Amino acid sequence: MPYSLNEKIRDLKPYDPIEGNYQIRLDANESFLPVPGEIVEQFHAAVDQIAFQRYPDPLAGKAIEVFGHYYGVKSRLVTAGNGSDELIQVLMSAFLMKGDRVLTLSHDFSMYRFYTSIVEAECIEVPKNEDLTVNVDKVIETAHAQQAHMIIFSNPCNPTSLGLCREEVRRLISAVDALVVLDEAYMDFWDQSLLQEAEEYDNLIILRTCSKAFGMAAVRLGFAVANPVLTNAIRAVKSPYNVNTVTQAFGAAVLSQKELMDKAVITLLYAKKELFEGLCQLEEMFPNSMRLYQSCTNFVFVATPYAKEWHRFLLDNSVAVRYMGDYLRITAGSPQENETVVRLCREFLSGKGAD
Ligand SMILES: *Cc1c(COP(=O)(O)O)cnc(C)c1O
């Protein structure tokens, strides 16, 4: 018999975020800001110090120390990963057994379902309310009824851009036996983090990333924060040299510049505000063509019956945004990029002759 791929991977395709070259990229929630020159200089100095023939520090000591300092958490509660994406995979492969149930929400980050299937766990999606808010009671109820082993969701949420306030997240974690993986990839843009109290729970792991607010998507650096028992387990099951020395040095440099990073976040939030307000005006002009959701992130989310055509129209004008069924997700760009995308959206909606 010739070799054949197993059924869980047979139909998979390599991840391809987008095909083609577009002048304006607002499809991946990246920061539009380049890393500040001062930090780039720090990078160069750090690279000069690296012993390239040596394996990296398995615990990324310096990086988790400055991370801890940045957020006011103890570094012994922190594990570094090759992007938080790697950490999601590590958590799923280690904290789940085959057939275990993982509860996530719909809509939420698509990688949760993907990694669940790779580890042969069962993914259960709890639908969100019609307005895309989370019904915490329903999540708790489903977790009990289905005996979920893990609950994973993003807060604020990618793609909806909505946030669940701290009190509701606390209520959820305390009410379930499952391990709660709280993906705070966008929490630098909002103020409802549970990082400071991660140690108080026996069933909470919080994920953070340098890819969004800190503009380091290229470098691949994420963190998991949890109590010492969970942290020991994560450190024990991850690949020993998962974060390379260059990334560790870059991460340490960026996170040691709190003032510059706080400034970057303010700039990104201002850009989001401009994009949001521009689209808000369009929503007033074309109320039957779109619905804009409140945003706690660096992107906005739009429901529209015209998502497919609208997306196509933007691509034809060399602007890439994320198309998701009945929705578009648009990352805040530079002032110029936001102006362009809003102008094109107006053009598209006017052309529809709607309303
Ligand atoms: C972007 C994103 C991540 C992945 O971040 P990396 O650290 O770049 O792997 C994780 N979760 C959510 C919800 C994201 O949007």
Side-chain angles (χ1 to χ4, degrees):
M1 279 253 286
Y3 178 76
S4 65
L5 295 170
N6 70 43
E7 64 184 77
K8 72 181 178 188
I9 66 171
R10 193 173 297 151
D11 299 323
L12 294 181
K13 304 244 175 347
Y15 185 69
D16 180 10
I18 194 160
E19 277 172 36
N21 270 321
Y22 301 95
Q23 249 150 38
I24 299 183
R25 290 285 306 266
L26 305 175
D27 59 304
N29 295 346
E30 296 146 329
S31 168
F32 68 87
L33 296 170
V35 170
E38 277 169 82
I39 301 183
V40 173
E41 272 169 37
Q42 250 179 294
F43 285 175
H44 291 158
V47 167
D48 284 342
Q49 299 293 312
I50 291 174
F52 281 97
Q53 74 280 26
R54 302 291 178 192
Y55 281 108
D57 172 358
L59 290 184
K62 181 73 185 162
I64 63 172
E65 183 194 316
V66 291
F67 175 91
H69 205 249
Y70 190 102
Y71 290 109
V73 299
K74 298 174 198 138
S75 61
R76 65 188 188 89
L77 308 179
V78 185
T79 309
N82 187 23
S84 52
D85 216 73
E86 185 212 12
L87 292 166
I88 296 168
Q89 185 166 27
V90 167
L91 296 181
M92 295 224 169
S93 62
F95 287 78
L96 296 173
M97 305 280 275
K98 182 175 170 177
D100 279 355
R101 298 206 178 102
V102 177
L103 202 151
T104 183
L105 310 176
S106 178
H107 305 289
D108 208 323
F109 191 45
S110 59
M111 297 314 279
Y112 306 148
R113 173 174 268 285
F114 170 71
Y115 287 128
T116 305
S117 74
I118 296 290
V119 302
E120 297 180 75
E122 187 186 340
C123 187
I124 294 164
E125 290 183 347
V126 180
K128 293 188 179 174
N129 298 323
E130 198 263 326
D131 61 359
L132 301 184
T133 55
V134 178
N135 181 341
V136 171
D137 290 317
K138 190 155 109 188
V139 177
I140 294 170
E141 223 172 85
T142 313
H144 287 301
Q146 300 284 342
Q147 296 176 299
H149 276 79
M150 180 188 286
I151 301 175
I152 183 166
F153 63 100
S154 56
N155 189 40
C157 173
N158 173 14
T160 68
S161 73
L162 299 174
L164 190 60
C165 71
R166 201 183 263 138
E167 204 41 57
E168 285 287 275
V169 182
R170 283 187 189 123
R171 190 160 75 78
L172 167 60
I173 301 164
S174 307
V176 298
D177 308 319
L179 175 66
V180 177
V181 180
L182 176 60
D183 185 348
E184 293 191 341
Y186 298 92
M187 195 54 91
D188 296 294
F189 301 112
W190 203 36
D191 61 359
Q192 296 291 302
S193 177
L194 287 196
L195 269 186
Q196 259 77 39
E197 54 204 84
E199 195 174 5
E200 296 165 26
Y201 298 90
D202 68 358
N203 63 333
L204 174 64
I205 298 176
I206 300 178
L207 300 178
R208 303 290 294 228
T209 178
C210 291
S211 298
K212 306 287 162 51
F214 301 152
M216 295 230 303
V219 173
R220 315 303 304 126
L221 184 61
F223 298 92
V225 181
N227 73 42
V229 174
L230 292 171
T231 297
N232 268 336
I234 303 167
R235 290 179 176 184
V237 297
K238 77 176 184 65
S239 146
Y241 303 122
N242 59 330
V243 182
N244 73 69
T245 307
V246 178
T247 292
Q248 292 188 26
F250 284 15
V254 162
L255 290 166
S256 65
Q257 297 276 2
K258 188 160 175 23
E259 261 174 51
L260 288 177
M261 287 302 107
D262 288 348
K263 225 170 94 186
V265 168
I266 289 169
T267 307
L268 294 173
L269 279 174
Y270 186 75
K272 190 276 300 285
K273 183 170 174 280
E274 285 191 321
L275 175 64
F276 185 88
E277 285 172 357
L279 292 172
C280 229
Q281 283 181 4
L282 296 186
E283 190 184 29
E284 279 168 28
M285 291 165 68
F286 307 101
N288 296 325
S289 300
M290 61 179 284
R291 168 167 182 188
L292 184 62
Y293 293 86
Q294 282 305 321
S295 166
C296 303
T297 62
N298 65 330
F299 59 89
V300 301
F301 199 53
V302 178
T304 169
Y306 306 120
K308 197 164 183 171
E309 300 164 65
W310 190 339
H311 176 245
R312 185 71 250 168
F313 178 85
L314 293 174
L315 285 183
D316 291 343
N317 286 280
S318 208
V319 176
V321 303
R322 185 73 193 268
Y323 163 67
M324 314 179 94
D326 298 326
Y327 304 96
L328 295 178
R329 192 194 67 195
I330 309 176
T331 311
S334 67
Q336 181 114 55
E337 290 174 328
N338 293 333
E339 213 181 290
T340 304
V341 76
V342 171
R343 176 176 53 75
L344 289 169
C345 290
R346 173 176 299 145
E347 222 174 285
F348 171 79
L349 292 168
S350 307
K352 291 305 303 168
D355 306 297

